[in-house]
Amino acid sequence: MYRESYIHKGQNEAFEQYRDGVMFQEDIEKVYEEIDYKVKQPDFLGKTVKVTAKQFPQVYHMIQELCTYEQMECPAVYVYEDYYYGAESYGINSYWIELSAKTIQDFSEDELKFVLAREIYKISDGVTRQKTMMEERFKMIRQLAPNELEQVSKMSFYHWYRLANYSADNYGYLMCGSIRSSVDAILMMVLNSKMLAGQVDVKEFIGQASEINKLDDMVFNYTKADESVPYAPHRIQSLMAYAVSERGMKAILEKGGR
């Protein structure tokens, strides 16, 4: 499946604008790989359960399938105890996914595939690398540069990262093959409840996106620009528009979805 069949159309341009302002990248990578990444390893092995063929086999085989499709090395997956739903990828050269136990417990097979596929996309397309790099960079900028420089860098990064999350949603939908499961997974992440997500009227929820768009002054716009992940009504609106678009329908037919 070609990247162009699911990538958000503004993402490449936003990345070029963000990349122009990137500083300290080599220094950050060196510090991260030599110190920060190693600091995390004992906690992974001591405070989580690593996904293997014998431990959480459903997740293991799902990751194997997704990575085989992408022709990429499988990231490690660590399951942690948490009351909240969550699936997030990290790393610069070595990658891993942190997945909450509650997500495995409550999500259906298609819903779980949606959230895991989103992270596989992020790893394969370099989104995870850039996100991890920027998180480390923000720590460095706070020590070396004025707040104004940090704020400009953050806004540029957030703009690109929001678009990359729309792409991740499109990719997750194509991989799980179900628009209903994709939307349900997003709603479950919002409400942290499978039961309550089932009580949401999707049409009315998407209507909140229009209300957000109407909030248009300096304070409102700053608040919206300071979000690294798109608001859920916008995510579902964008995903459903993609699913019924010519590009989306062609992609799902090629993938064999439903």
Side-chain angles (χ1 to χ4, degrees), residues 48-49 53 67 73 81 85-86 101 104 132 157 165 184 191 207 229:
T48 69
V49 179
C67 291
E73 182 178 347
E81 186 278 327
Y85 298 136
I104 299 175
T132 305
F157 168 72
N165 270 278
D184 285 348
L191 295 170
V229 177

Side-chain angles (χ1 to χ4, degrees), residues 237-257:
Q237 183 182 53
S238 175
L239 179 58
M240 295 186 76
Y242 169 75
V244 299
S245 70
E246 182 179 352
R247 185 169 67 124
M249 289 190 289
K250 181 179 178 181
I252 198 68
L253 287 172
E254 290 175 351
K255 185 63 180 61

